[in-house]
Structure formats: C-alpha cells, structure tokens
C-alpha cells in the first residue's frame, strides 16, 4: 500500500511555466490526501520558493528541498533535518567561482535563496519574459558579498549557471566534484552542487525514516537527472512521460501523460485511486508490442496468436472481465523479455526471459494507462510464464495453456510430446478442447 507520494516540481508536478499545478494533478493529490496518503515535495528548490505551490496544493505536508539537503514540515515550519556543506568547503567553492565573473552563482542556505548583487541584472533580464523568475526575485536575498553572508549560514546547495562553453569540466575539477560533491546537471551551462552523499534519494529516505514509512510504501515521481537516486530508492518509482531517457531507465514505471497535461495526477489515479483500472481495450498495447518487436514478424505473430487463445480460454472458463483482461494483457507482453535477454546474454532461454521481462512490461503497461494492481499482476505472470511447476491462479493457467497451443504448432512437436503436455499442463476444459481439436490427429 502506498502511504506517501513524493513529487518533483519542474517537469513533474508543475506545468511548463514552472508555476502552475494542472487541475487534474491538483485534484488527484487532494483525493489521495483525503484517503490518508501523505504528500511530499522532493525538489531542487529551497523552501522559500515553494509557497506558490503549497498554496495550490495545501495538502502537501512535507518538503525535501535543495536536492535532499534539508526537509521541513510545511504545516508547522519545523526544520526536520539538514545536511549542509561543511563551511570550509562552501567557502572554497565560492572563492573558486569568483574567478569566473561571467557565471551566475546562487546559493540555498537556511531554507532561503541568496545571490550576489552583481548578478541581479541577469536575473532581472530573465524575469522580463518569465513568470517564475519574477516570482523568484520576490523571494531571493541580494547581497554584496555572498561568501561573507554565507559564513553564518548552513549552505544546502550551490547553483552555477551561464557557464561559458567547455568550462563546466574545468570548474567541476577545480571544486573537487569527484571527491567531495554530488553534482546534478542536465544542460551544458548549468549545474547544481551539493555536498557528497546528498541527493533526493537519501533525503526522501531520511524523511520516511522519521515518519515510520518504509520504502515499499513510497511512490516517487520525477523527470530529471537529480531524480535518479529518488527513483532508485522508492518502492514505486515513476518517471514522467516527458522525462529524460536516463530517468526512465531508473524508474519502475512511466506516466501515461506529460506534466502539462496532468500526467502526475493521472499517475496518482492509476497507482493510488484506481489501481484496478483497465483501458477500454488492449489495442494500444497490441500496437505497442508490434512496435517493440518491429522487424521480427515471427514474434509479433506469436504474441497475437497467444492473445487470441488466451481470450478464448478465459471466456470459455467464465473468467470475470477484470481477470480475463489480465490474462489477455499478459498474453500480449509475455515474451517481452526476449529482446533484452538476447541483447544482454545472447540467449532467449526461458529463465532469462522471466528475469528480463517484468521491467519493460511494467513500463509499457503503466504508460498505456493500466492501473497498478493490473501492471503488477501482469509483470508477475511475465516473470513466471516459462515455469510450469505448481501453477497458481486461473490467469497463470490460461496463459500457460495458450502459449503451449501456439508453441506446439510453431515448434512442430510430435504426438508423444503433445500427450505429455496434455497430462502435465492442461487443466481447463476450454484449453483441453482446443488442444484436442488442433493436435488430436497427431
């Protein structure tokens, strides 16, 4: 059961204006909170820059900020923990950055944002055409000497932007990125620096430990490179449809929609509010698998035949509609592990398919709108579809029989092998009838 939802802001919860929470996301989070689920922001921003978001979603109780360096209770204002730079290291970085007058430096300290006065014209220029930066200027402290001001404060994060081409690696080397720092950077002229070991994953883990919530009870949603550790830690890690490919690789699931279309809210619906949700039909899944297996018509023909037989067995045995749909979805994706098994091991042996199949199945089904319970049951079946000892559940039985009805013909099995399978595998009346009519003359 999901007890806490942790959401990134830019590219995840917020629209592309970096300010507005789409209505569907706002309402889904409200409904989740009404069901007792805790809500938390997990952002690179500092606490002072969250007030606009909290006004739109007042149900958000906790905030992990500055890429995991600190956290606060938004209802009481209590600072729950802070993992700042050692003061000596913060001063060393700021001194080095002073040698690059063209770069813009911003620091998060004591839950607020600080910039040097000489950088104010750049921020004002950005604010002329961007609502977020106009909001930012109302929250930031502008000081003459940033390093001196921060001597008295806990420095959570240092942000560097407007770096000249080819200077990033030089700056990273000089500030000791390989040894002392955690670095997030998705574009060439920008990077966020935290002290070593600080990241959203550890920050979220610290918050959940304080709240008595296990990682298996946490749903984390993000899109960027500073979300990797959060994806790796959370039991239910969800990458946005608009997220980086690398973020999707770290996540267990993907959203059905992008951030600006309420993709976060739809994910909350599918994972918390409507976990048994099924699309109207499986046509989108069938086409997605055809695209996945493009260039291999033999595998596409195979999955479509297994899908047809699985549906006949499920209907013939009187399965309830939700169970029938699980069987049919599993039939479409049951061999999804072949491709990654071949790429990784040079073999598509059954156990390798079972190992490699559940992960891509989860990502595909979740981005096509299947609810969490459906996704997990299908992935469970994919991870067992070549195991035939102690078959458990009507859906597993139907899938096994449908797969063998196709494999017998494709592999040219003889009468003795068919008889053995009839004895060892087939249990349903519909499956047995199909087997006898297809291969009884062998």
């Amino acid at each position: 059961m999901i007890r806490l939802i942790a959401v990134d802001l830019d590219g995840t919860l917020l629209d592309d204006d970096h300010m507005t929470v789409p209505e569907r996301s706002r309402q889904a989070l409200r409904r989740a909170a009404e069901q007792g689920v805790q809500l938390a922001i997990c952002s690179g921003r500092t606490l002072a820059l969250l007030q606009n978001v909290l006004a739109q979603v007042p149900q958000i109780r906790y905030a992990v900020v500055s890429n995991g360096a600190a956290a606060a209770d938004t209802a009481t204002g209590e600072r729950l923990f802070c993992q700042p730079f050692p003061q000596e290291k913060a001063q060393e970085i700021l001194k080095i950055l002073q040698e690059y007058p063209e770069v813009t430096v911003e620091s998060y300290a004591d839950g607020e944002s600080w910039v040097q006065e000489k950088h104010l014209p750049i921020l004002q220029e950005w604010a002329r055409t961007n609502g977020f930066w106009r909001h930012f200027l109302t929250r930031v402290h502008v000081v003459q000497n940033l390093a001196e001001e921060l001597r008295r404060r806990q420095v959570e994060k240092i942000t560097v932007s407007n770096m000249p081409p080819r200077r990033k690696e030089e700056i990273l080397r000089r500030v000791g990125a390989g040894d002392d720092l955690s670095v997030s950077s998705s574009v060439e002229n920008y990077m966020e620096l935290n002290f070593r070991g600080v990241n959203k994953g550890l920050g979220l883990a610290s918050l959940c430990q304080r709240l008595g919530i296990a990682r298996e009870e946490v749903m984390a949603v993000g899109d960027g490179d500073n979300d990797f550790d959060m994806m790796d830690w959370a039991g239910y890690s969800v990458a946005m449809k608009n997220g980086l490919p690398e973020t999707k690789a770290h996540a267990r699931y993907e959203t059905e929609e992008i951030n600006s279309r309420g993709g976060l809210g739809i994910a909350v619906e599918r994972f918390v509010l409507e976990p048994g949700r099924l699309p109207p039909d499986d046509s989108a899944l069938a086409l997605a698998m055809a695209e996945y297996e493009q260039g291999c018509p033999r595998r596409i023909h195979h999955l479509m035949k297994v899908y047809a037989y699985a549906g006949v067995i499920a209907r013939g045995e009187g399965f309830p509609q939700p169970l029938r749909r699980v069987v049919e979805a599993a039939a479409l994706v049951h061999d999804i592990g072949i491709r990654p098994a071949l790429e990784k091991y040079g073999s598509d042996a059954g156990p390798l398919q079972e190992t490699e199949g559940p992960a891509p199945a989860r990502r595909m089904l979740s981005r096509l709108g299947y609810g969490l319970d459906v996704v997990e049951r299908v992935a469970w079946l994919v991870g067992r579809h070549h195991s035939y000892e102690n078959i458990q559940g009507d859906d597993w039985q139907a899938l096994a029989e449908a797969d063998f009805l196709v494999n017998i013909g494709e592999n040219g099995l003889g009468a003795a092998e068919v008889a053995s399978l009839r004895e060892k595998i087939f249990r349903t009346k519909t499956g047995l009838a199909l087997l006898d009519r297809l291969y009884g003359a062998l």
Side-chain angles (χ1 to χ4, degrees), residues 252-256 270-271 277-279 282 284-286 288-289 325-326 328-334 336 357-380 382:
R252 191 176 176 94
Y253 312 95
E254 295 179 26
T255 66
E256 185 179 349
R270 305 294 182 255
F271 280 70
R277 196 259 184 186
L278 288 157
D282 295 312
L285 181 59
M289 279 302 299
R325 293 291 307 281
V326 166
E328 291 174 331
L332 286 171
V333 301
H334 74 286
I336 198 170
R362 285 189 183 96
R363 286 193 288 270
M364 182 178 289
L365 289 160
S366 57
R367 69 171 176 260
L368 291 175
Y370 293 80
L372 176 62
D373 292 349
V374 179
V375 172
E376 282 302 312
R377 183 62 184 182
V378 171
W380 187 87
V382 170

Side-chain angles (χ1 to χ4, degrees), residues 94 105-109 112-115 146 150 155 157-159:
L94 292 171
V105 180
E106 175 195 354
S107 182
Y108 293 171
E112 299 187 297
S113 181
W114 308 78
V115 297
L146 185 60
L150 296 181
V155 179
K157 187 181 82 168
I158 297 172
T159 297

